[in-house]
Amino acid sequence: MTDLKQWKRDTAVRRFREIKQNSERAGDRMSDQRIAAAVGGYVDAPAADVLKWWKGAGNV
């Protein structure tokens, strides 16, 4: 895996977790698809890849 792809994956998983936790804490839960779209824009990756990375990191 290239350094850029590894950075995208690691950053996407971290940001996904942060957004999910913050939205739940605020009482305004976001769907995983919506979070993936937001994170995908942040790391310049398709939302489908973000969801795959999130699930691959042991998160469901």
Side-chain angles (χ1 to χ4, degrees), residues 38-55:
V39 171
Y42 183 76
V43 297
D44 191 29
D49 284 353
V50 173
L51 282 173
K52 180 177 65 173
W53 296 333
W54 171 251
K55 292 176 182 176

Side-chain angles (χ1 to χ4, degrees), residues 7-8 12 15 25-26 35 39 43 49 55:
W7 175 86
K8 286 183 178 189
R15 289 292 298 146
R25 193 174 308 127
I35 296 171
V39 171
V43 297
D49 284 353
K55 292 176 182 176

